[in-house]
Amino acid sequence: MLPKRLFNLLIGLLPLVYLIHNSEEWFAFNRNVGSFVKFSPKFISDLIARDPVKISSIFGVALIYASIIPLVVAFILWNKVTNLNIKVLLMIAFVTFITFINALSHITSSFALGFISPGLITGLLICIPYSIAIFYFIKKYDRFTLRTYLILGIGSFVVYALGLGLSWFIGVLTFSFSFYGTIY
């Protein structure tokens, strides 16, 4: 079983990793929001072209929500080293490692767009090492079967997709109720 101090360190880093990553995405997106018009699907590029401030605001709310989730998870798991919570930590590593897959898309889009894509730098420098550290320490202190890793790995794609979709939904919903009016 993971030592409590190491478990708490890995859990404590979770909100910080996502806060830094989401902050970089926010600043990079806002710096280049107009450039996304030509590379986005039509329904998104139409919205960006009509009002870049609106899409930037929606993205900002989505990132705030995406930064709060890890904080809540860390608060719930803090100081509770159980087999289930170690599996949740492993799921977090897989979800964060998906950021690596996301980072690959950031790399290709950076070449296509001609500028650093939002999330590229922190995805490569922070998210991937954080995930690898979790994998390493769980492998060192806990013995899970390959089946457990596969189930948690596959489940992480579902968790990632749900989190991404929900954060954008909350961003749109929050913005539509704001003083700016509804999305057209």
Side-chain angles (χ1 to χ4, degrees):
M1 177 113 11
L2 273 172
K4 188 180 230 179
R5 187 175 230 168
L6 178 59
F7 178 81
N8 284 338
L9 174 66
L10 294 172
I11 290 297
L13 286 173
L14 173 67
L16 184 62
V17 165
Y18 275 89
L19 179 65
I20 293 169
H21 180 68
N22 291 341
S23 296
E24 184 218 349
E25 284 194 346
W26 167 253
F27 289 116
F29 182 81
N30 280 319
R31 190 173 53 241
N32 298 302
V33 69
S35 302
F36 289 101
V37 173
K38 55 186 161 185
F39 295 101
S40 299
K42 182 150 178 51
F43 73 96
I44 293 175
S45 62
D46 287 346
L47 181 62
I48 294 172
R50 267 186 279 168
D51 195 351
V53 173
K54 187 179 283 190
I55 194 71
S56 180
S57 298
I58 292 169
F59 186 63
V61 171
L63 285 177
I64 289 169
Y65 178 74
S67 298
I68 290 172
I69 292 172
L71 184 63
V72 171
V73 170
F75 181 76
I76 291 169
L77 297 180
W78 185 260
N79 239 3
K80 299 173 188 137
V81 185
T82 66
N83 197 33
L84 175 64
N85 289 350
I86 292 171
K87 287 179 181 177
V88 171
L89 181 61
L90 189 56
M91 175 78 80
I92 289 167
F94 276 115
V95 169
T96 307
F97 198 70
I98 290 173
T99 307
F100 168 68
I101 297 166
N102 192 11
L104 291 179
S105 71
H106 288 312
I107 292 169
T108 56
S109 63
S110 292
F111 285 115
L113 297 172
F115 56 84
I116 294 176
S117 180
L120 173 68
I121 296 168
T122 55
L124 293 172
L125 298 179
I126 297 174
C127 294
I128 293 171
Y130 175 69
S131 297
I132 290 171
I134 292 173
F135 290 134
Y136 172 78
F137 287 117
I138 288 178
K139 185 177 183 295
K140 181 177 179 179
Y141 290 104
D142 289 290
R143 300 290 180 232
F144 291 116
T145 64
L146 180 60
R147 182 173 182 250
T148 302
Y149 280 97
L150 287 173
I151 289 169
L152 294 175
I154 292 168
S156 68
F157 282 97
V158 174
V159 169
Y160 181 75
L162 287 174
L164 191 64
L166 189 59
S167 62
W168 273 98
F169 176 74
I170 287 174
V172 169
L173 192 63
T174 302
F175 191 78
S176 67
F177 288 118
S178 72
F179 63 91
Y180 288 112
T182 58
I183 296 176
Y184 43 97

